Amino acid sequence: MPNTVSATPTACFTKEQRLLTPAAFREVFDAPERKLHQSHLMAFVRSNTHDQPRIGMAITKRKVPTAVTRNLIKRKIREQFRGQAHKLENKDIVFIIKRSIKDIDKKELNNQINNIFKKIEKK
């Protein structure tokens, strides 16, 4: 059986797609091209010189006190990013929590994350 390469992009999350250093986060926070708001989430967006979009998350313990919930939020953001990374331009995206998410359910959290990615796609 011959090896066939699929034409569909793979939904993986590589190290090259992550913002890793404080300097990379600072670049996005200091001079964002866009700030996208939802009721509980906010994303800072800036063009990058890499050949793919990159994502970072600054989820603080003050806004989300339990590690379980912080990790859940990060997983949800990464999941949405993996599925939509092939549609995004070369952007650096940093997500932060604006307000405590005690009063939000998982479905609404997914909707807010998805809305931010849709706004990034449109531009």
Side-chain angles (χ1 to χ4, degrees):
M1 182 174 211
N3 289 342
T4 58
V5 178
S6 66
T8 59
T10 58
C12 57
F13 189 63
T14 63
K15 191 171 185 178
E16 290 78 29
Q17 291 177 310
R18 289 185 258 170
L19 291 174
L20 297 172
T21 63
F25 277 87
R26 201 173 305 113
E27 275 183 19
V28 178
F29 283 132
D30 288 347
E33 291 173 0
R34 295 176 71 193
K35 293 180 186 178
L36 303 170
H37 297 270
Q38 291 291 308
S39 62
H40 290 82
L41 293 172
M42 184 172 170
F44 294 85
V45 182
R46 179 186 168 127
S47 295
N48 68 26
T49 57
H50 301 277
D51 59 346
Q52 61 190 349
R54 300 187 305 169
I55 192 164
M57 292 163 271
I59 314 275
T60 62
K61 195 184 278 189
R62 180 175 289 171
K63 302 284 183 181
V64 186
T66 62
V68 172
T69 309
R70 283 194 303 276
N71 291 332
L72 173 82
I73 294 167
K74 291 176 187 179
R75 279 195 308 274
K76 297 284 185 189
I77 292 171
R78 280 194 298 264
E79 177 184 337
Q80 294 275 345
F81 179 76
R82 275 194 297 269
Q84 298 184 20
H86 66 280
K87 299 180 204 172
L88 302 173
E89 298 173 358
N90 299 340
K91 302 280 185 189
D92 285 344
I93 306 161
V94 176
F95 279 87
I96 65 166
I97 301 291
K98 288 177 13 177
R99 294 189 324 183
S100 175
I101 61 161
K102 291 178 185 175
D103 58 338
I104 190 173
D105 62 346
K106 292 179 187 176
K107 185 175 180 180
E108 180 59 27
L109 178 65
N110 280 337
N111 286 340
Q112 289 189 19
I113 295 167
N114 195 28
N115 288 342
I116 288 176
F117 280 119
K118 282 181 182 178
K119 288 179 183 179
I120 294 169
E121 257 182 69
K122 284 182 183 177
K123 183 154 196 295

